[in-house]
Amino acid sequence: MMNSKTPDSGAFVWVWLPSAVEPVVAGKLTADGNRLVFNYGKSYLARENAIPLYAPECPLQAGRIPLLPGLSMPACIRDGSPDAWGRRIIINRKLGSKGAKADPAQLDELTYLLESGSDRTGALDFQRSATEYEPRGTGTASLQQLAQAADLVEQGLPLSQELDQALLHGTSLGGARPKAQVDDDDRKYIAKFSSTTDLYSVVKAEFVAMRLAALCGLNVAKVSLTSALQKDVLLIERFDRIKSNAGWQRHLMVSALSMLALDEMMARYASYEDLAELIRHRFADASATLRELFSRLVFNILCGNTDDHARNHAAFWDGQQLRLTPAYDICPQNRTGREASQAMLIAGGDRMSRISSCLNAAGHFLLSRDQALAIVEHQLACIIEHWNAVCTDAGLTETDRALLWGRQFLNPYAFDDLEGDAAALKAMANDARASYPGVG
């Protein structure tokens, strides 16, 4: 039996079961030295519709669940904790305004779980009580207020109580860039704001990449552009929420980092090869999923998104099967030279941002070389065909277009070692870069 209140040494884990609009308490996360361990509650285990939070890691069983090797807390629960931006806001609230100088290690993981907003990615939340669910960060605010609050946090300036509550709503969202959550009547959005440190329009570049990815046939989150306080704002429609007649349903999600049983300190070992193997064994419709993942890898390289780390890949979990979520955070990264590498290994020890690396790894995705070549050719043709129209939709300036084209998008390094049956891809990219003034 669990106590109705938990001290600072623990947090109760609440979950939205499939199709539910209200959460139930699943169990308790308890501090054990420097580790956090989880056990399901007796009432949860007795439910006919109970599902494991993620079966390979937290199977439905009584007692404390042993942590997987190398982990300090269950990875599928860590997925619900805020990342860099959310942690900065919480430090601002708890310890005073510090801006970019904020040290996330000043607070422990339980504090981040219990102080962040309740409308977090996935279908978990964390409470001090096992009997009373009290959502945090439910206030509403205009996009202008949210943009103002994000600006102040970036500068390390204090927030008014109103702005503090407005920004709390989005503290549980992942990533490092300034962002907040925006709720509409029947949709929820993540709003990404321009940063004071941006050297070019990063949010417009992400819009362009996401739109082009969709045009290439990838399954991606829906995006749109707006503005607030004369700054660009990217709106990403949340795919982990469904509005039903009874209320909001939530999808359980698991990051690739968790599926690979890794934590942040081990993230450099995450690889597409290992994720592909996991897909073959655990995913519904493995063949189509492998083709989709390979296509995302190719597109990341073609658009210059080297930030494809294992938290930027995720799957829905329904208690029995995994399904790849729509792609998100496809954002071309600032790049000054030619050579680049992906955040995730591709296969073996190779993480170089080259199409040849993709082609060499095709077998891991159950694709023939000819199938892999066709995917790359299709994406190249699609990017080239739609580049100007999508940039125009984004209101991207000629300066930013010239900065992105040939540097982030279709960087020569991605193609310069292609030969034989892949030489035509290199020629396509060369011709496309040559067709725009100022790039080559």
Side-chain angles (χ1 to χ4, degrees):
M1 188 75 177
M2 292 182 291
N3 296 325
S4 63
K5 291 285 184 180
T6 182
D8 292 341
S9 61
F12 291 104
V13 180
W14 290 65
V15 61
W16 279 255
L17 292 168
S19 302
V21 296
E22 298 291 343
V24 295
V25 65
K28 186 178 180 182
L29 196 62
T30 307
D32 180 12
N34 293 325
R35 307 183 310 160
L36 293 174
V37 293
F38 177 73
N39 67 281
Y40 287 105
K42 290 181 180 179
S43 62
Y44 186 76
L45 290 173
R47 298 180 66 94
E48 290 186 0
N49 63 341
I51 65 171
L53 300 186
Y54 179 51
E57 183 177 31
C58 292
L60 282 177
Q61 63 185 49
R64 289 191 174 187
I65 298 172
L67 291 170
L68 296 179
L71 299 184
S72 59
M73 69 180 291
C76 64
I77 294 178
R78 169 61 179 85
D79 282 341
S81 193
D83 285 334
W85 175 251
R87 290 174 188 240
R88 190 190 293 191
I89 297 169
I90 292 168
I91 289 171
N92 186 297
R93 299 180 71 240
K94 299 287 287 183
L95 302 177
S97 51
K98 295 178 181 292
K101 297 178 181 178
D103 178 7
Q106 290 177 278
L107 300 175
D108 61 25
E109 202 63 42
L110 280 173
T111 300
Y112 287 121
L113 292 173
L114 290 167
E115 293 291 333
S116 48
S118 291
D119 202 2
R120 66 189 71 244
T121 302
L124 299 181
D125 193 24
F126 308 94
Q127 299 278 311
R128 290 181 169 85
S129 170
T131 55
E132 297 178 16
Y133 179 77
E134 297 180 2
R136 298 177 299 277
T138 57
T140 58
S142 69
L143 207 52
Q144 287 73 22
Q145 288 174 307
L146 292 169
Q148 180 187 0
D151 246 0
L152 292 172
V153 169
E154 269 208 299
Q155 297 172 51
L157 298 174
L159 298 176
S160 67
Q161 185 174 0
E162 181 183 30
L163 290 180
D164 180 61
Q165 286 301 308
L167 213 53
L168 174 63
H169 195 25
T171 50
S172 52
L173 302 172
R177 288 189 60 80
K179 63 174 62 66
Q181 192 161 287
V182 179
D183 295 349
D184 201 349
D185 289 338
D186 58 354
R187 289 181 176 84
K188 290 177 180 281
Y189 300 92
I190 295 169
K192 287 189 178 181
F193 302 105
S194 301
S195 170
T196 53
T197 60
D198 289 345
L199 301 177
Y200 59 96
S201 183
V202 174
V203 297
K204 286 186 175 181
E206 183 170 347
F207 171 87
V208 168
M210 292 286 284
R211 276 288 176 86
L212 285 171
L215 289 166
C216 288
L218 300 185
N219 178 20
V220 302
K222 296 178 181 178
V223 295
S224 57
L225 278 172
T226 185
S227 62
L229 303 180
Q230 288 78 53
K231 287 190 173 183
D232 300 319
V233 181
L234 179 69
L235 294 177
I236 306 106
E237 186 174 333
R238 293 186 63 170
F239 47 72
D240 60 341
R241 297 290 184 267
I242 299 175
K243 182 68 176 291
S244 71
N245 292 333
W248 285 100
Q249 300 173 7
R250 304 190 180 194
H251 280 305
L252 269 169
M253 285 172 53
V254 188
S255 72
L257 196 66
S258 294
M259 289 184 274
L260 295 169
L262 300 172
D263 66 9
E264 272 70 21
M265 298 299 292
M266 299 185 284
R268 66 186 180 278
Y269 301 116
S271 76
Y272 283 94
E273 177 184 359
D274 290 343
L275 183 55
E277 182 178 0
L278 188 148
I279 287 170
R280 291 199 297 272
H281 294 292
R282 296 187 190 167
F283 274 63
D285 200 1
S287 179
T289 303
L290 287 167
R291 184 182 181 89
E292 173 73 14
L293 181 64
F294 180 82
S295 298
R296 293 181 187 187
L297 166 60
V298 168
F299 189 84
N300 282 333
I301 290 175
L302 293 181
C303 79
N305 175 33
T306 54
D307 192 35
D308 57 341
H309 57 79
R311 283 208 184 281
N312 279 345
H313 300 276
F316 295 124
W317 165 252
D318 64 5
Q320 295 183 325
Q321 289 185 313
L322 292 162
R323 290 183 299 111
L324 205 61
T325 71
Y328 55 94
D329 285 355
I330 302 177
C331 185
Q333 300 298 301
N334 192 29
R335 186 166 170 172
T336 53
R338 287 167 55 90
E339 185 171 318
S341 58
Q342 299 304 117
M344 270 177 57
L345 291 161
I346 296 172
D350 182 12
R351 65 172 79 243
M352 303 315 293
S353 305
R354 291 189 146 178
I355 293 302
S356 60
S357 298
C358 300
L359 297 175
N360 292 337
H364 296 296
F365 300 85
L366 304 185
L367 295 170
S368 68
R369 184 174 176 88
D370 283 346
Q371 288 173 316
L373 285 166
I375 288 171
V376 179
E377 183 180 3
H378 167 72
Q379 290 192 15
L380 259 176
C382 180
I383 291 170
I384 294 166
E385 178 184 355
H386 296 289
W387 169 257
N388 272 327
V390 174
C391 287
T392 299
D393 287 346
L396 205 65
T397 66
E398 287 298 327
T399 300
D400 278 350
R401 291 189 201 198
L403 180 70
L404 292 171
W405 188 256
R407 186 174 286 107
Q408 278 86 349
F409 286 84
L410 312 192
N411 189 287
Y413 179 74
F415 307 92
D416 63 10
D417 65 338
L418 294 179
E419 53 189 22
D421 59 354
L425 301 175
K426 180 178 180 179
M428 278 180 70
N430 289 343
D431 289 346
R433 283 192 304 273
S435 66
Y436 288 88
V439 295

